[in-house]
Amino acid sequence: MAETSATTGTGEPASRPRKSSWKYIGPGIVVAATGVGAGDLVATLIAGSKFGYTLMWAAVIGCVVKISLAEAAGRWHLATGRTLFDGWRSLGPWTTVYFAVYVVIWGFIYGATAMSSSALPIVALFPDGPGLKFWAIVTGLIGLAFVWFNRYAVFEKVMTVLIGIMFVVVVYVAVRVVPDVGASFAGLLPVLPDGSLLYTLGLIGGVGGTITMAAYGYWVNAKGWSNSSWMKVMRLDNRVAYITTGVFVVAMLIVGAELLHASQVALTSGDRGLIDLGKVLEDRFGTGTAKLFLVGFFATSFSSLIGVWHGVSLMFADFVERFRAPADPAVPEEQAGPAVTDRQQRSLPFRAYLLWLTFPPMTLLWLDEPFGLVIAYGVLGAFFMPFLALTLLWLLNSPRVPEEWRNGRLSNAMLADVGLLFVVLCVQQVHDLLW
């Protein structure tokens, strides 16, 4: 695509393209830190423990998939001057109904999950202290206060520190287990061992693939990037994000392959699997390495918590704002940009959703998650990624986007393949949930 001057969604000329530079990197770091949760790392570990290095190629393809999807979300915001939800709403009222139901149920379950995940490593680090419920509530309240009182600039700095801790710890552990370099390069050749199809699809589509990918465009605007002159900068930022995510995935595959595959150690599924890994590391390398890993586990979980508290609350604030406005106006006002984002961060809907993510989910810490609610959460969540991929494919081929920023053949091929991948994963997840 051309990187020449473009027009904004209002038809006004954008300023000259900014030169891409490392000094601008930020929203990509935020989306990478938020998207990689403890459960994702466990799924990658289990794939490594079952199949060794064989699925390394799937991790690389997954990185490319996420780059294409996040780039599409960021390009929509910058090329049109409109938010992603505004684009969804222009496709018809069905998108509003889906998102409204999804964001309420998803937030309720995810809030409890994020708080529990952040509490687990603290309990493991301080076994003689308060229990899981206490620390889960504390982490939830800290996340609430942090996002409530801070704007994007401070939020980005803290997320950068957390992803730095994650990166150092995960790579250190991968180096400590002494990877088999030859086997890891051999794993770049596409091979599907028996019984590996679902693990392969999960590696390609799972790590870093959440609603926070849709929040990327909102963080781009919060950073101050508001028109197509920032397109080259956004693309560099996005690539850095998902290459970083790719390093996490490869490192955890190495740990699974070297530490767990040979000894046939089985991990508990979900976030608690990282507690199991901590015990394995302690037996193999001593208490210091195990505690360092638990610190990295906390950074992984807590960065996802505050990332969702901020990013999805921004999306909800925009959802409420667009819901009150006329759909798809002929000449839209500026609907995406730093001023809009700053106003939304102070808005009642933003803070109301923050409270929704924090307090109602605390009840689930004492109760088994209701079966019907878990099913609804799983089904709606399974549909979100194909919904995101296919609606972006629709929007970015439409007259809503200035012609030079519409999809080219490569973008269309990538988004179509991504949409198909997530439809297959969606069908499988719904099947597993219901049967």
Side-chain angles (χ1 to χ4, degrees):
M1 291 181 188
E3 295 290 354
T4 56
S5 295
T7 57
T8 63
T10 61
E12 294 297 320
S15 55
R16 294 182 62 187
R18 268 74 171 183
K19 185 177 180 180
S20 58
S21 170
W22 293 97
K23 69 180 182 181
Y24 292 125
I25 298 300
I29 296 297
V30 171
V31 78
T34 306
V36 180
D40 296 311
L41 296 185
V42 172
T44 308
L45 276 170
I46 291 174
S49 69
K50 286 182 176 291
F51 304 105
Y53 291 96
T54 310
L55 300 182
M56 188 75 75
W57 62 273
V60 175
I61 291 179
C63 181
V64 175
V65 162
K66 304 307 185 312
I67 287 173
S68 64
L69 196 52
E71 187 274 342
R75 177 155 46 96
W76 166 266
H77 276 250
L78 296 182
T80 65
R82 299 168 70 175
T83 65
L84 185 54
F85 184 77
D86 188 60
W88 284 339
R89 193 171 179 226
S90 73
L91 300 178
W94 65 275
T95 58
T96 301
V97 173
Y98 168 76
F99 186 78
V101 175
Y102 171 79
V103 80
V104 170
I105 295 177
W106 182 89
F108 184 49
I109 300 287
Y110 181 83
T113 303
M115 287 186 277
S116 295
S117 179
S118 297
L120 276 170
I122 301 177
V123 173
L125 282 166
F126 305 104
D128 298 327
L132 183 71
K133 294 182 180 66
F134 173 85
W135 286 118
I137 291 171
V138 168
T139 57
L141 292 176
I142 291 172
L144 170 68
F146 173 75
V147 175
W148 188 290
F149 292 109
N150 289 292
R151 296 292 172 261
Y152 176 80
V154 176
F155 166 71
E156 182 189 287
K157 287 182 174 64
V158 171
M159 292 292 275
T160 302
V161 170
L162 290 173
I163 201 171
I165 294 170
M166 292 163 58
F167 189 91
V168 169
V169 170
V170 169
V171 172
Y172 168 76
V173 172
V175 171
R176 192 77 194 271
V177 301
V178 189
D180 185 332
V181 177
S184 61
F185 277 107
L188 296 175
L189 295 174
V191 175
L192 272 179
D194 290 342
S196 68
L197 179 60
L198 292 181
Y199 289 97
T200 303
L201 292 175
L203 270 180
I204 295 172
V207 180
T210 68
I211 189 174
T212 54
M213 295 195 71
Y216 178 61
Y218 291 84
W219 286 323
V220 162
N221 291 150
K223 181 71 171 176
W225 307 346
S226 56
N227 57 47
S228 57
S229 69
W230 291 98
M231 202 71 75
K232 184 179 288 189
V233 175
M234 181 274 291
R235 285 170 171 162
L236 173 64
D237 177 75
N238 175 48
R239 288 165 192 154
V240 169
Y242 285 101
I243 290 171
T244 303
T245 301
V247 171
F248 287 141
V249 178
V250 168
M252 293 309 276
L253 267 176
I254 289 170
V255 173
E258 293 293 344
L259 201 60
L260 308 177
H261 182 60
S263 55
Q264 296 297 302
V265 175
L267 297 183
T268 307
S269 61
D271 300 345
R272 290 184 181 273
L274 293 185
I275 298 295
D276 296 344
L277 179 60
K279 293 174 182 175
V280 173
L281 288 170
E282 184 172 9
D283 292 340
R284 178 85 174 266
F285 301 114
T287 303
T289 298
K291 288 188 180 299
L292 180 65
F293 175 75
L294 289 172
V295 171
F297 177 4
F298 173 76
T300 301
S301 298
F302 192 66
S303 64
S304 293
L305 185 153
I306 61 174
V308 166
W309 263 229
H310 188 274
V312 183
S313 296
L314 263 184
M315 292 184 69
F316 182 77
D318 185 57
F319 161 72
V320 173
E321 191 170 304
R322 303 300 158 221
F323 184 75
R324 294 171 176 170
D328 200 16
V331 183
E333 299 175 2
E334 184 184 11
Q335 298 181 65
V340 174
T341 304
D342 189 59
R343 184 186 72 240
Q344 288 172 340
Q345 288 178 96
R346 297 192 304 269
S347 69
L348 178 61
F350 180 89
R351 291 179 169 175
Y353 195 73
L354 265 179
L355 296 173
W356 173 253
L357 281 167
T358 307
F359 290 106
M362 288 179 182
T363 60
L364 297 181
L365 299 174
W366 278 268
L367 302 171
D368 290 332
E369 294 174 353
F371 178 75
L373 195 60
V374 172
I375 294 295
Y377 168 78
V379 170
L380 286 166
F383 276 101
F384 185 80
M385 292 305 286
F387 168 80
L388 175 61
L390 296 175
T391 53
L392 281 170
L393 185 65
W394 186 349
L395 289 168
L396 291 168
N397 283 289
S398 73
R400 299 171 181 84
V401 181
E403 187 171 357
E404 65 183 296
W405 299 118
R406 292 177 198 167
N407 279 358
R409 290 181 182 179
L410 179 60
S411 296
N412 277 328
M414 288 298 300
L415 284 178
D417 289 345
V418 170
L420 179 61
L421 165 69
F422 284 120
V423 166
V424 173
L425 288 171
C426 172
V427 170
Q428 180 61 42
Q429 187 171 343
V430 171
H431 178 273
D432 291 345
L433 282 166
L434 298 180
W435 285 276

